[in-house]
Structure formats: structure tokens, C-alpha cells
Amino acid sequence: LMGLIGHEEASVQEMTALSLSNLSLNNKVVCLDILHDEHITSFVEVMETSQNPRILTYLANVVFNIIKFEPLREELVGHNVVQSLAASLTHRDADVCIAVCKALAALVADHSAREALLKTNGLGSLVTLLKEANNKEVLRKAAWTVGICVANEGMAKELNKNGALKILMDYAQNDAQGISNLAVIALEKLLQYDLAAKYWHLGKLSQLDVIKDGFYDTGAHRAGEDFRSLKYLMDKSVDNKRPILFVSTQGAEPELPTDLKSEASTTGSTTNIKTGRATAKGKKTQKIEEKKEDTPSEVDGSTPGKAARETGKPRYDGSFKDYIEEVTSTVGPLPTQEEQVRALAVFVSNQMGGPVTNLSTFNHDLHIAQLKSDLKSNVIPIGFVKRGIFYHRALLFKALADRIWVPVSLVRGEYSRAWNEVTVFGGGKASHYLVNLMDEPGALMKVGGYAAGVYKKL
């Protein structure tokens, strides 16, 4: 039978594939014989090149039958079966797509299969199938397979790159195809590996969601908008919209001279555009002023800076790295969680301009506009912000708290509001509080209470 799989007559191939499909069902001996046969390469080639839907369906069923025997999976992957299955995803026959999705979903439980799938365009083809298929059962199998394929960060990023996020969101909100439950499951798994997308879509990160290097806040999800990659946002010209806040201790090397400073409007400090670190105001030397005159094009202009264009990364954030070191040594060792929360709140407030009782006189918007102009980017590293309001402070608080393992949530509100909620244990019970970072830094307001409600609204 294996010798006949490469026969020139399609009818012979079809009957051979059907026979192998039936014989290999729940039969480990036959599955081993297929894998070890000298014609296994012909088997794989036919699966990759044939356009006969029945042949492809039967061969995908053979693969599924072999996969059920776990010790055989890695050997199967070694025969380039993943690539052949991925190629079959582009077929538009419903039975082929269902059989291939079933085989892929079973196969990606193996690490080597996931690595092989990432090297093909299989995930892209799977997302295309999810988007364009008009057969309900195909859509169900595709949504289920996408959910299974979200097995690690690399798979999640590849799926997102191919547009899976928006498609799953659409299906989750519109049950016209009857796959909303499967779409919701896949979407939740996808967002768990991409917290930036999760915060954009849901407007909340839980205490269990830990912000790591590379996180960015694009603002609230609006109807009709797509979640954009950091590179896309970095490539956009500077505008007057809300900035994209970036969290990382890594970044691009700046093109500006080391000692060239950018003074934020109305602030009492100077921000070093190379590192984001604050320095005392008014210490520029004549040499620095001369460098400014020599390099005007590096400071002015609305297009992304050279470092951003070449690396696709925002500037190195020296301030944020300093913040982590300081809170690790001063806040982390405090004996109780409540003391840690209060101390961290005061620290964040101090880095963002101190207590604020009147937003209209705080002039944070001028400071942000100056930073965007100096960086020549809409993407601002969080440590560069020295005059921040609710959403700047809440993000910094969450990012720092996660570094010292203090569990806090991050919630987005309306009109540039955002806040953090913590759970404090004492007296044998748990109490839930909202953390004040603005007018009374360090104060804890009972969730659901009047003070917390005022804090969250204009």
C-alpha cells in the first residue's frame, strides 16, 4: 500500500489512502509500519502536492491516527509532516480543512511540532481559514485549532501578527456563525500571552498579569480599530493624540549626544533624552548649547528618530531601570503588603511631579508634547514622564509593583483615568482598596466607597 501511494493514477492513490486511513485507526503496529516504510517520503510528498480532496482527507486522517500514539509524534514531525499539513490548509474543501485542523491540533501538543509550525506559514494559513471559511464546521475546527495552537508566547505572537486577534474578537462579539464560545476561549488564551493587547481590549490587567519588558499601552480599544504592533506605532509621524506608553529596561541607543538634554515645559527638572533620567534644572553648559545648534535636525521634526527607525525600539529608559533598583531596595523589604503599597504610591507620585490637586494647572500635556517632539515619536518610555496624571501613574505603579512581587491590578477608566486595586489581608479577612496616586499619594480607598468613586470619575 505504501508503494502505491505515489502511483500516477489518482484513483489508485485515493483507494490506497482510504485503506491506510482505515487500517491505521487505533492500530499502533500499522502506524509504526507506515512511519518506518521506505515510501514514507512519497506519502508526505503526496500530502503536500495533491489537490484531490479525498486523498488529502484520508492522508490527514492517517496522520491523526499516528499522532494518537504519543511516542510516535516526534518521529512523525521528523518526516516534515507539519509542513505538508500546513500546505493543505490552503485547500478550500471542507472535509480537507476539518481533517487537517484535527491533525494539527493534536500534533502541536509536541514541542518539536510547534517549532516546525512556526517555520512555515501554517499559522497564517490557519488564520486565513478562520477569516474566510463559510462552512460552520470548518470555522468551529479552525477556531478550536487556533485555541490549541496558543501554546506559548511565540505561537501567540505569530497568530497576532497574522490578524487572529481581530478575527476572534469579531466572532466573540457576533455569534452569527455559532462559534462564539470557541472564539472566546481562543481569544482569552491569545490575550494571556500578549498583555498589551489584553489591556487594550479589556481595559484591565489582573493581579496575576505581570507586566514585563516590551509592554505598551496604546489607549482604550475603540470600535473599528485594530490593535497595532509596536513597530507600526514607532513608524508613525508625531501627532497630538494620546502618547503610547512603553515599559522596558531595554531600548535603542539614542542618536543624540550623551549630554544633550531636553527640558520639559513648565517642569522643575530636565529629562536626559538619551536615558530618560531626570537631572537638576539649569545646568546646561555652553558646550551643550553649541551641540544643540549643531544638531537641530536631531531635536526638531515630526518623523521617528534614527534609532527608532533602525531598531524598531523606543529609547533606552534609564529612569525606569533606576526606579526598579530603588524600589527593590527600599520598598521590597518593608514588612507588610500595606506598607509596601503606600510607600510605592508615594514613590510613584514623586517621580511623576508630586501630589496633584488641580489638573488644570499641572500642565502635564505640555510636558508630554515636548517629550514627543524631542523623541520624534508618539511612543514614550514610561520613565521619561516626569509630570504624569492618572494613567501614567497607574501604569508605572503596576509595572514597579510587579517587579517586587506586590500583587496589584491595573484598570482603565474614561477620560484618561486609570487606577490600581490591591487586596490587603488583615484581621483574618481580605479588604479591597483603590490606591490614591494623585492628590493624597499612599491613601487607600475602599473599593465601592465614595472616595474611590470620585477618584475614578471626572
Side-chain angles (χ1 to χ4, degrees), residues 207 335-342 397 406-409 420-435 442-447:
Q207 296 182 5
T336 68
Q337 182 183 330
E338 182 176 345
E339 289 178 87
Q340 290 176 322
V341 169
R342 292 182 184 275
F397 186 87
V406 175
V408 304
S409 64
N420 306 100
E421 295 179 5
V422 298
T423 302
V424 176
F425 296 91
K429 65 177 183 178
S431 300
H432 305 285
Y433 295 99
L434 188 149
V435 184
L444 300 182
M445 301 168 284
K446 193 79 172 178
V447 171

Side-chain angles (χ1 to χ4, degrees), residues 2-17:
M2 287 295 288
L4 289 173
I5 198 64
H7 198 278
E8 59 184 12
E9 291 290 336
S11 59
V12 175
Q13 287 186 342
E14 182 180 329
M15 289 300 102
T16 302

Side-chain angles (χ1 to χ4, degrees), residues 58-90:
Y58 297 148
L59 293 184
N61 287 336
V62 173
V63 172
F64 180 73
N65 292 340
I66 296 174
I67 293 169
K68 288 191 290 187
F69 298 104
E70 188 173 345
L72 306 184
R73 289 177 186 169
E74 190 170 348
E75 186 175 353
L76 185 65
V77 173
H79 290 297
N80 295 323
V81 167
V82 174
Q83 182 177 343
S84 300
L85 288 172
S88 298
L89 281 173
T90 60

